Amino acid sequence: SLENRVKETLHRAFWDRLKEQLSASPPDYSQAIQLLQEIKEALLSLLLPRHNRLRSEIEAALDMELIRQEAAHGALDVGRLSAHVLGTMAMLCAPLRDDDVRALRDLTDPVQLLREIFRVLDLMKMDMLNFTIQSLRPHLQEHSVQYERKKFQELLDKLPSSLEHTAEWLRRAAAEAATAPRGAGSSAKPSPAAVLDQAYMNLLRWEPAHREYPETLFMDQARLQEVRSQVNQLVIVAAVLLVTSGTCGSTLFGSPGFVARLKRVTKVLLEGLSSTRCEEALHDVGDQVLQEVGRTLSQLGYPALAVDQCASLKGQISSIADENNAVRRVVEQRIHSFLSLFISPNGQNSPKDLPKGLEAIQEELLAVGRRFGTVVHHNRQ
């Protein structure tokens, strides 16, 4: 992009200018001193409140007034300063950055060394930020729950009918839960928890263009819509793999990398696709699947698929665009059943719970299930 090209040009000019200054006779340390000041501030920002001794050592080693005086008299020891900076970085960095810091010690060009120090410091600051967020997450989530409860209560006090879409969402779920099969001896009326579970599962089939989103989920709507999109994509991917397996057999599907390649090409062609263009995309998916099948059969020394088999497989893949397609409906039912295990109040899931026929998308399903469960548990609270 133009922005990136401008940025790279400016960065290159900055470091070229620094090289000119340090190569001059006598050297000009003005820009290098400014960079040392920024390095000092970056190191101090990585310290915890209890790091008093280390803070004093950094202040003493990178005493900017002393550094300016040494530079003015041509007595600036860049090697000593660099060694202290690298030693401090080694003490402060996370274990995964040890190799990055160690590699800095092998650099002899002062300009390259300064440039790489800033790069690694940026990584260390990101590590510290991620650690801080991870530490604060439970407190932030609890605060968020309390804040949303308070705001919704204030809204209800002013506008008692302000949650009418939420009420309709729950009424619809209650009607569906009342007709769902339950175990022997269960009461005719579904429990509130069962109604709520049904309501959350209905979000995976929600069409925002045809129905207003529940007010209590407005803050999570984007996340839930993304989950819904991922689930719809996985339904189609799994259906494509199932019909392909039915035509080609287990031998081909046991070929190393074959399933991964089919998954990859199908996901790429379906990425960001609206339901109205699904049929067109699946036509392309069918062509790509046949190419991959033909290539793999040839590599394994097997004869190519017959013309009628190719036509049948391509037709089956294209028919998955129909939401009432039998394979698609079975796959969707199994995936939704699997995801429902993530949203129960104490729901934990593991690969052994995976329904039959979904092994090829196990990793993706677990990831989307955990994401769905996280949003639902927060909203349930």
Side-chain angles (χ1 to χ4, degrees):
S1 68
L2 176 61
E3 181 183 356
N4 277 341
R5 291 203 300 273
V6 171
K7 184 178 179 180
E8 289 172 5
T9 301
L10 290 174
H11 278 203
R12 195 180 306 113
F14 175 87
W15 294 108
D16 287 347
R17 174 64 177 158
L18 177 63
K19 189 168 187 176
E20 289 175 7
Q21 289 183 347
L22 296 181
S23 302
S25 183
D28 179 359
Y29 291 110
S30 57
Q31 194 167 314
I33 290 173
Q34 181 60 40
L35 293 178
L36 287 171
Q37 173 70 42
E38 293 179 19
I39 290 173
K40 176 183 177 181
E41 292 170 359
L43 291 174
L44 292 173
S45 72
L46 294 171
L47 299 181
L48 297 175
R50 64 175 182 271
H51 290 155
N52 295 320
R53 183 182 61 80
L54 200 50
R55 181 176 286 101
S56 300
E57 290 180 2
I58 294 173
E59 291 283 2
L62 296 176
D63 183 335
M64 300 314 299
E65 186 58 38
L66 179 60
I67 288 175
R68 290 188 183 92
Q69 292 177 11
E70 290 176 345
H73 292 87
L76 186 63
D77 189 346
V78 177
R80 177 184 61 82
L81 294 175
S82 300
H84 187 275
V85 168
L86 296 181
T88 305
M89 290 172 67
M91 286 189 285
L92 294 175
C93 72
L96 79 161
R97 303 296 174 205
D98 285 343
D99 289 342
D100 292 309
V101 175
R102 197 175 296 117
L104 296 178
R105 300 183 185 278
D106 298 329
L107 300 178
T108 55
D109 179 9
V111 175
Q112 187 182 3
L113 176 59
L114 285 170
R115 189 170 188 167
E116 286 300 297
I117 283 175
F118 274 98
R119 182 185 67 82
V120 177
L121 280 174
D122 281 341
L123 295 175
M124 290 171 61
K125 285 190 281 188
M126 188 60 67
D127 294 338
M128 176 63 77
L129 182 61
N130 287 333
F131 171 75
T132 304
I133 291 174
Q134 186 176 3
S135 302
L136 291 176
R137 180 175 281 120
H139 308 288
L140 293 172
Q141 288 175 334
E142 179 61 27
H143 178 74
S144 176
V145 168
Q146 295 171 357
Y147 176 80
E148 289 187 45
R149 281 180 187 161
K150 178 183 175 183
K151 290 302 176 184
F152 274 121
Q153 190 58 54
E154 291 175 0
L155 184 64
L156 280 172
D157 292 341
K158 295 177 182 177
L159 301 168
S161 62
S162 57
L163 296 182
E164 58 182 21
H165 298 310
T166 300
E168 175 59 28
W169 170 58
L170 293 173
R171 276 194 292 269
R172 187 185 297 270
E176 294 178 13
T179 59
R182 289 186 293 279
S186 61
S187 61
K189 184 182 293 187
S191 67
V195 171
L196 200 53
D197 285 349
Q198 181 64 52
Y200 286 125
M201 291 304 300
N202 286 348
L203 297 173
L204 296 179
R205 298 186 177 92
W206 201 271
E207 291 290 347
H210 303 145
R211 197 179 304 162
E212 292 288 345
Y213 223 75
E215 295 88 348
T216 52
L217 287 158
F218 276 167
M219 294 182 70
D220 298 313
Q221 181 174 353
R223 297 181 185 88
L224 288 166
Q225 287 298 104
E226 178 64 23
V227 168
R228 173 181 170 274
S229 176
Q230 291 175 347
V231 170
N232 289 344
Q233 185 190 78
L234 287 176
V235 167
I236 296 176
V237 170
V240 168
L241 293 176
L242 275 178
V243 299
T244 305
S245 174
T247 300
C248 301
S250 58
T251 302
L252 192 61
F253 263 65
S255 174
F258 178 72
V259 174
R261 290 193 296 273
L262 286 191
K263 268 200 312 184
R264 184 168 58 251
V265 71
T266 305
K267 288 166 71 174
V268 166
L269 291 171
L270 294 173
E271 195 69 42
L273 203 65
S274 63
S275 57
T276 55
R277 292 185 55 215
C278 187
E279 186 173 352
E280 177 185 340
L282 282 170
H283 178 82
D284 295 336
V285 169
D287 289 339
Q288 292 296 322
V289 167
L290 286 175
Q291 286 186 25
E292 191 58 49
V293 167
R295 185 183 304 114
T296 307
L297 286 173
S298 175
Q299 291 172 350
L300 295 175
Y302 291 111
L305 291 180
V307 174
D308 59 336
Q309 287 180 303
C310 290
S312 173
L313 176 56
K314 188 169 181 179
Q316 290 180 68
I317 291 175
S318 294
S319 68
I320 294 170
D322 181 1
E323 293 184 359
N324 293 316
N325 174 272
V327 175
R328 177 170 174 169
R329 293 191 67 177
V330 168
V331 169
E332 183 181 67
Q333 183 181 8
R334 290 178 182 177
I335 287 179
H336 284 207
S337 175
F338 179 68
L339 295 178
S340 70
L341 301 175
F342 287 86
I343 66 170
S344 58
N346 56 352
Q348 295 294 325
N349 214 359
S350 61
K352 69 177 183 296
D353 301 308
L354 200 72
K356 185 179 179 181
L358 302 182
E359 295 82 5
I361 59 167
Q362 172 179 305
E363 184 179 343
E364 294 87 346
L365 266 183
L366 287 171
V368 77
R370 294 187 190 105
R371 187 175 183 187
F372 184 43
T374 297
V375 178
V376 168
H377 285 310
H378 177 78
N379 191 265
R380 190 190 292 270
Q381 286 180 301

